[in-house]
Amino acid sequence: KQEVTQIPAALSVPEGENLVLNCSFTDSAIYNLQWFRQDPGKGLTSLLLIQSSQREQTSGRLNASLDKSSGRSTLYIAASQPGDSATYLCAVTSSQGGSEKLVFGKGTKLTVNP
Amino acid sequence: EAQVTQNPRYLITVTGKKLTVTCSQNMNHEYMSWYRQDPGLGLRQIYYSMNVEVTDKGDVPEGYKVSRKEKRNFPLILESPSPNQTSLYFCASKSDGETAFFGQGTRLTVV
């Protein structure tokens, strides 16, 4: 059974700092990996999608890497801003009954202090 | 605009009173699913559907039903809600290999 772990569970940093969020998964047979952002009481917004054949994806100040063989992904946030404060969720897409299933980690709650 | 729409956003109900949470997507996605999110437990899949008239159980299906009569709609039905179903619910849709889109969530309280 696929399990996804995110470390740390919470992180507090001063504005402007570069930071890394970690995600690990137990079964390397994945189709892709996604990073989401969730603001309090709100839905999930997709940040980056990395296909299993890719090593990384970039969007603005965000860079996500994927090492499928070791079961790890990182989300790098450059020059953090208070507006980046949110919970970041990692999810892997695995096979499920002929289709695909998202399995989520429990998230990292990020606070960026002005 | 591509979106997944859930209704209602907030609901307080009493134990045993049947309710339905609606979910609709406008992206012609084949795959739709329901999740519940609870503190310390993260997001857990309730049911999913690969296409019209094709549904299957996820990790925590007990006490829930779904239907997929049309491609765009995937309602979640609680026939006899109980307090342990108090949670934040999310509907999602996607196509194979593509980004998943999530609704804004439905906060359900069962008293």
Side-chain angles (χ1 to χ4, degrees):
Chain A
K1 179 182 176 184
Q2 180 73 268
E3 293 183 1
V4 179
T5 303
Q6 291 187 246
I7 294 173
L11 181 63
S12 182
V13 301
E15 182 176 4
E17 199 162 288
N18 303 323
L19 58 100
V20 175
L21 307 181
N22 296 292
C23 171
S24 62
F25 47 96
T26 55
D27 185 351
S28 62
I30 64 170
Y31 294 117
N32 55 52
L33 182 145
Q34 287 186 241
W35 283 93
F36 293 88
R37 168 185 173 137
Q38 185 178 26
D39 293 289
K42 300 289 180 64
L44 281 69
T45 301
S46 181
L47 297 172
L48 290 164
L49 169 71
I50 311 176
Q51 301 292 352
S52 61
S53 58
Q54 297 175 323
R55 298 283 290 186
E56 66 177 333
Q57 282 287 336
T58 298
S59 176
R61 294 183 292 109
L62 305 180
N63 177 277
S65 69
L66 173 63
D67 185 342
K68 200 173 77 162
S69 60
S70 68
R72 294 181 182 181
S73 175
T74 61
L75 179 66
Y76 175 82
I77 302 177
S80 58
Q81 303 171 356
D84 294 331
S85 298
T87 296
Y88 291 81
L89 295 162
C90 167
V92 297
T93 304
S94 301
S95 176
Q96 178 186 45
S99 184
E100 301 179 359
K101 175 182 180 179
L102 281 168
V103 180
F104 284 87
K106 294 181 180 179
T108 294
K109 185 176 182 180
L110 173 66
T111 302
V112 181
N113 301 300
Chain B
E1 179 188 358
Q3 60 183 6
V4 177
T5 304
Q6 289 180 233
N7 280 297
R9 291 289 312 280
Y10 302 92
L11 180 60
I12 301 175
T13 190
V14 297
T15 299
K17 184 177 181 181
K18 180 179 178 180
L19 67 91
T20 299
V21 184
T22 63
C23 174
S24 180
Q25 51 96 1
N26 62 1
M27 295 164 281
N28 202 37
H29 287 162
E30 297 85 14
Y31 185 91
M32 298 184 74
S33 58
W34 276 101
Y35 297 84
R36 61 178 289 174
Q37 187 176 36
D38 301 288
L41 297 177
L43 278 151
R44 295 178 292 167
Q45 190 186 56
I46 304 170
Y47 267 94
Y48 68 96
S49 170
M50 291 189 285
N51 215 321
V52 175
E53 303 291 1
V54 181
T55 64
D56 210 344
K57 297 176 181 179
D59 299 317
V60 288
E62 295 76 20
Y64 304 95
K65 288 175 58 177
V66 293
S67 69
R68 189 90 181 273
K69 297 178 181 177
E70 306 166 281
K71 199 170 188 179
R72 65 183 290 125
N73 296 323
F74 190 45
L76 179 69
I77 304 157
L78 284 72
E79 294 271 3
S80 183
S82 63
N84 65 12
Q85 292 178 296
T86 293
S87 187
L88 180 59
Y89 291 86
F90 289 103
C91 178
S93 74
K94 68 189 294 293
S95 287
D96 279 355
E98 301 297 324
T99 299
F101 288 79
F102 281 77
Q104 287 300 297
T106 295
R107 186 168 293 281
L108 172 65
T109 302
V110 183
V111 299

